[in-house]
Amino acid sequence: MKQKKTFLTFLWDYGVITLGSALYALSFNWCFQPNHMAFGGFTGAAQIINRLLPVLPVGVLVFVMNVPLFLIGVRKMGWGLLVSSLYAMTIGSVFIDVMAALHTFQPMEPMLACIYGGVLM
């Protein structure tokens, strides 16, 4: 039998997702973006597209590229798990763009960028 989540559990779950998304955005903006290192997944593809055609910020591109996957996921799996995934993707994209707007990080030694970025990730 599935146990119903309490409000406190709900807040904890989304707080952890928010913290993880903030660390993800920090590692991207601090370690990978200033050193022109491609990230994996849609974030890396958005980073490359932004470098070639700097029309939209990376976070917006990540969001736009993920929308079709979420629509397919809703059709296949329903809304249950996808709501938290959609929240994580949205807040991560927002954090990437907000951090980039607030502070420009300087490039660092590439090996250190890989290590720091991997640890933060």
Side-chain angles (χ1 to χ4, degrees):
M1 187 189 266
K2 191 172 184 178
Q3 187 178 11
K4 191 171 182 170
K5 286 189 173 188
T6 65
F7 184 69
L8 204 54
T9 306
F10 175 82
L11 281 179
W12 173 260
D13 290 346
Y14 279 82
V16 169
I17 290 171
T18 303
L19 178 63
S21 296
L23 288 173
Y24 172 82
L26 178 64
S27 68
F28 176 78
N29 284 318
W30 179 37
C31 301
F32 297 108
Q33 181 71 12
N35 292 299
H36 305 292
M37 293 179 182
F39 220 56
F42 278 150
T43 306
Q47 183 181 13
I48 293 168
I49 291 170
N50 179 267
R51 179 94 168 135
L52 297 174
L53 304 167
V55 177
L56 295 174
V58 174
V60 173
L61 286 170
V62 170
F63 186 83
V64 168
M65 291 167 57
N66 273 302
V67 167
L69 285 180
F70 279 97
L71 294 176
I72 293 168
V74 167
R75 291 185 73 189
K76 299 282 184 188
M77 299 177 62
W79 281 101
L81 177 65
L82 292 176
V83 171
S84 60
S85 297
L86 182 62
Y87 173 75
M89 186 265 304
T90 303
I91 199 73
S93 298
V94 168
F95 279 151
I96 286 173
D97 287 344
V98 168
M99 281 185 196
L102 292 177
H103 185 71
T104 303
F105 292 96
Q106 297 302 313
M108 64 175 82
E109 170 66 35
M111 184 61 77
L112 288 176
C114 288
I115 293 169
Y116 293 160
V119 168
L120 274 175
M121 202 49 80

